[in-house]
Amino acid sequence: MTTIAILGNGRVGGNLATALTRVGHEVTVADRTPGAAADAARTARIVINATPGAGSLERLADLRAELRGKILVDVSNATVDGPDGLPADLIHPGSSLAEQLQEALPETYVVKTLNTMLYPVMTAPAMLTQAPDAFLSGEDPQAKQTVHDLLLDLGWRKEWITDLGGIRTARATEAAILFVPHVIRSGGFAPFAISIAR
């Protein structure tokens, strides 16, 4: 059992909270109430960023003291939305939200994962007809191992999880968000994930 704080109580945060609670973790979800994010982060071992990516950097940079020494699991993508509300471009081209968070929070262990799929797949990867992939990007091997184990709790198989290396590799997985609007327009809002055929 791990104490986990989820920042963001939308579809992504709520989905993760339900699944992680179901497998025995102690989960707190912080909404936008003033002070809620700081209170939740202060008492957790792992903090999950499920806030809208466009505002994540500013929100989390304000929690530098509360996030010191913690693992920050970043599942968000920082995008500029098009007229239809779907991602149209990246806010940090040539970089990534995860890299920006690690720079702003040097004493926090940032790990990027679960950002290359629609949110239902995050907690039910076996729902797809073929095996999806979850990627890990981060500087600290121990933090990545902890997040790897969390993914196993969520139903991810070991062979579906790929450690890409340092935090800079997150710019590749974050760029995959640009597939999303085209896939949705082509096939509708059905669960899907990026998968590497081997």
Side-chain angles (χ1 to χ4, degrees):
M1 189 271 289
T2 303
T3 53
I4 300 172
I6 299 178
L7 308 184
N9 63 345
R11 291 180 298 186
V12 173
N15 185 41
L16 288 166
T18 299
L20 290 167
T21 300
R22 188 183 300 126
V23 295
H25 295 290
E26 183 181 323
V27 179
T28 302
V29 180
D31 57 21
R32 288 175 177 255
T33 305
D39 290 343
R42 192 177 295 113
T43 58
R45 179 180 174 225
I46 297 173
V47 178
I48 298 176
N49 174 37
T51 65
S56 289
L57 183 58
E58 184 180 355
R59 286 191 192 101
L60 273 68
D62 288 342
L63 302 176
R64 185 167 176 170
E66 290 83 2
L67 291 170
R68 185 176 293 121
K70 307 290 177 72
I71 296 172
L72 176 63
V73 183
D74 179 31
V75 303
S76 294
N77 290 300
T79 60
V80 177
D81 290 342
D84 57 1
L86 295 174
D89 211 345
L90 301 173
I91 288 178
H92 305 290
S95 183
S96 64
L97 173 59
E99 290 173 85
Q100 297 296 314
L101 287 170
Q102 187 62 86
E103 185 176 337
L105 303 165
E107 296 174 281
T108 300
Y109 305 108
V110 179
V111 179
K112 188 82 182 190
T113 194
L114 294 180
N115 64 308
T116 55
M117 61 202 69
L118 289 192
Y119 76 92
V121 183
M122 293 178 174
T123 58
M127 74 190 308
L128 300 179
T129 56
Q130 62 192 61
D133 281 277
F135 303 100
L136 296 172
S137 300
E139 296 301 318
D140 187 81
Q142 189 172 348
K144 284 193 287 187
Q145 183 60 51
T146 298
V147 177
H148 178 280
D149 293 344
L150 207 61
L151 294 180
L152 296 179
D153 288 345
L154 290 172
W156 289 85
R157 297 181 188 171
K158 185 170 60 174
E159 62 270 24
W160 297 350
I161 304 170
T162 301
D163 184 345
L164 295 179
I167 200 68
R168 188 174 179 184
T169 63
R171 64 182 62 179
T173 61
E174 289 190 26
I177 190 68
L178 298 180
F179 275 104
V180 170
H182 308 298
V183 174
I184 289 174
R185 290 184 194 115
S186 172
F189 196 86
F192 71 89
I194 300 295
S195 179
I196 305 299
R198 294 180 175 88

